[in-house]
């Protein structure tokens, strides 16, 4: 029993001395590895601040710049860790660490597929110059002002002040119409006048009224006017003109103003804007009386 204890003690002592000798032999590498990792940690802080400022110049969303800077910081620390493990000749541990990180990343990616897709889409949208906060856009059946583009959602405020939250993935995968990219918008106005109206006069009066109402329309010749059809109760026309506007609200206000002024001009000139009516006409060829009804029944 005493011999076994002595043997075990000798083995332990030999193992400890082996570790001590290994530490002494690898002490320079250990110090260098720790130094590299500490330097990487401090460098990561400066990289994070630098990336945040750089991204902040391109992206208005604070959340996006913070996420990108944190990702850059984590990458810098990981690079320092891998260099430190390489200095310590722990290539096997480094390989195992990379394999484990790959497996964990795959599992997380599958579990958070939708969330990660929206996050990546949000970062891509944030770097697009043609989509900015404050723009008036139309996408996925909704139209409104862009209020925010965060890591998960695209937020719109419609004309009726309703807030619409759309996943970033849907914005990136579907067409988007940005009304704020140009400074002009075209107003379409459809109306009809009575069949008794002087069509030349209606055309001239409508174009003149639009030109006098909007400063952007320099002359009546800049207004497009086309008769489109003989309707059920009116002769219909289409009127088009350009205004300085960057949102649908401005376009709606301009259309409202045009309708009001055209109605005033038509009332002043006695031009009728008819509404659909149905006329029932009974001429004298149709005589309904008791005698005719009795004759009809007797013949049958």
């Amino acid at each position: 029993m005493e011999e076994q204890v002595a043997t075990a003690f000798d083995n332990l002592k030999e193992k400890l001395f082996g570790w001590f000798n290994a530490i002494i032999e690898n002490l320079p590498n250990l110090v260098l590895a720790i130094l590299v990792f500490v330097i990487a940690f401090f460098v990561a802080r400066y990289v994070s601040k630098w990336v945040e400022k750089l991204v902040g110049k391109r992206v208005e969303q604070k959340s996006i710049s913070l996420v990108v800077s944190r990702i850059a910081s984590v990458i810098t620390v990981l690079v320092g860790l891998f260099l430190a493990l390489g200095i310590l000749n722990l290539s096997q541990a480094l390989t195992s660490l990379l394999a484990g990180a790959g497996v964990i990343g795959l599992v997380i990616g599958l579990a958070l597929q939708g969330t990660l897709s929206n996050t990546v889409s949000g970062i891509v949208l944030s770097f697009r110059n043609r989509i900015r906060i404050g723009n008036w856009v139309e996408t996925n059946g909704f139209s409104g002002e862009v209020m925010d583009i965060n890591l998960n959602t695209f937020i719109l405020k419609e004309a009726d002040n309703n807030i619409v939250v759309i996943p970033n993935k849907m914005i990136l995968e579907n067409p988007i119409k940005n009304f704020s990219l140009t400074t002009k918008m075209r107003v379409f106005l459809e109306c009809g006048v009575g069949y008794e109206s002087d069509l030349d006069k209606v055309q001239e009066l409508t174009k003149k009224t639009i030109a006098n109402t909007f400063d952007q329309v320099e002359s009546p010749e800049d207004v497009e006017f086309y008769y489109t059809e003989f309707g059920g109760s009116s002769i219909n026309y289409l009127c088009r003109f350009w205004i300085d506007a960057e949102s649908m609200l401005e376009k709606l206000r301009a259309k409202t103003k045009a309708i009001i002024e055209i109605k005033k001009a038509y009332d002043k000139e006695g031009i009728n804007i008819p509404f659909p009516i149905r006329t029932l006409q009974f001429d004298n060829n149709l005589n309904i009386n008791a005698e005719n009804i009795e004759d009809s029944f007797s013949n049958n």
Side-chain angles (χ1 to χ4, degrees):
M1 183 67 181
E2 294 180 358
E3 293 180 359
Q4 293 178 352
V5 173
T7 302
F9 182 75
D10 291 337
N11 292 334
L12 178 62
K13 184 172 61 172
E14 182 179 354
K15 186 64 94 175
L16 291 176
F17 276 113
W19 288 350
F20 181 76
N21 292 331
I23 292 175
I24 296 299
E25 292 176 359
N26 293 289
L27 185 60
N29 291 339
L30 180 60
V31 173
L32 182 59
I34 295 174
L35 182 63
V36 168
F37 184 74
V38 172
I39 292 175
F41 179 78
F42 283 101
V43 169
R45 298 177 60 182
Y46 290 100
V47 169
S48 176
K49 294 180 181 179
W50 179 75
V51 171
E52 183 178 354
K53 290 180 180 179
L54 182 63
V55 176
K57 295 178 180 179
R58 296 288 304 274
V59 182
E60 297 180 1
Q61 291 79 6
K62 186 69 174 178
S63 58
I64 302 297
S65 59
L66 288 175
V67 168
V68 175
S69 64
R70 288 170 184 170
I71 292 175
S73 177
V74 170
I75 292 175
T76 304
V77 173
L78 289 178
V79 169
L81 176 61
F82 293 155
L83 290 176
L85 292 176
I87 293 172
L88 293 174
N89 296 321
L90 298 176
S91 57
Q92 185 176 0
L94 179 61
T95 303
S96 302
L97 184 62
L98 290 174
V103 173
I104 293 174
L106 180 60
V107 172
I108 294 176
L110 292 175
L112 302 176
Q113 184 176 3
T115 303
L116 292 176
S117 177
N118 286 324
T119 301
V120 174
S121 299
I123 295 175
V124 173
L125 288 172
S126 299
F127 281 95
R128 285 192 172 182
N129 294 326
R130 296 182 179 273
I131 304 176
R132 293 294 183 187
I133 294 177
N135 290 164
W136 191 279
V137 301
E138 180 179 331
T139 180
N140 291 277
F142 300 98
S143 178
E145 180 184 358
V146 180
M147 302 301 296
D148 189 19
I149 305 174
N150 55 45
L151 291 178
N152 293 315
T153 56
F154 188 89
I155 301 176
L156 292 179
K157 183 170 74 172
E158 294 184 305
D160 54 4
N161 213 34
N162 286 333
I163 300 297
V164 181
V165 181
I166 307 174
N168 290 329
K169 181 180 178 181
M170 295 181 63
I171 301 297
L172 204 62
E173 294 179 349
N174 291 280
I176 182 169
K177 183 189 293 184
N178 193 337
F179 296 95
S180 301
L181 292 180
T182 57
T183 58
K184 289 184 176 293
M185 299 183 72
R186 176 178 276 182
V187 178
F188 292 80
L189 185 61
E190 295 179 306
C191 188
V193 294
Y195 276 88
E196 74 283 356
S197 304
D198 185 343
L199 299 185
D200 291 332
K201 181 180 179 180
V202 170
Q203 180 178 354
E204 180 182 357
L205 179 61
T206 303
K207 296 173 69 174
K208 183 179 179 181
T209 302
I210 295 297
N212 293 336
T213 302
F214 298 96
D215 296 335
Q216 303 93 325
V217 183
E218 297 181 357
S219 67
E221 299 301 324
D222 295 333
V223 181
E224 298 182 49
F225 187 96
Y226 308 101
Y227 286 107
T228 57
E229 63 176 349
F230 292 97
S233 58
S234 63
I235 298 178
N236 301 323
Y237 67 79
L238 170 65
C239 179
R240 300 188 300 191
F241 57 94
W242 292 91
I243 61 170
D244 294 333
E246 297 182 4
S247 71
M248 286 297 295
L249 286 177
E250 297 179 38
K251 182 178 179 179
L252 289 174
R253 295 190 187 104
K255 188 173 184 178
T256 300
K257 188 175 181 180
I259 291 174
I260 293 173
E261 295 301 324
I262 289 175
K263 180 64 168 60
K264 290 180 181 179
Y266 285 3
D267 290 344
K268 185 176 180 180
E269 296 295 330
I271 298 175
N272 180 36
I273 303 178
F275 52 88
I277 59 175
R278 176 174 295 180
T279 302
L280 301 179
Q281 181 177 350
F282 297 95
D283 51 31
N284 294 330
N285 295 327
L286 181 62
N287 293 322
I288 300 178
N289 51 50
E291 295 179 358
N292 291 336
I293 295 176
E294 292 178 358
D295 293 340
S296 298
F297 278 107
S298 62
N299 293 331
N300 293 332

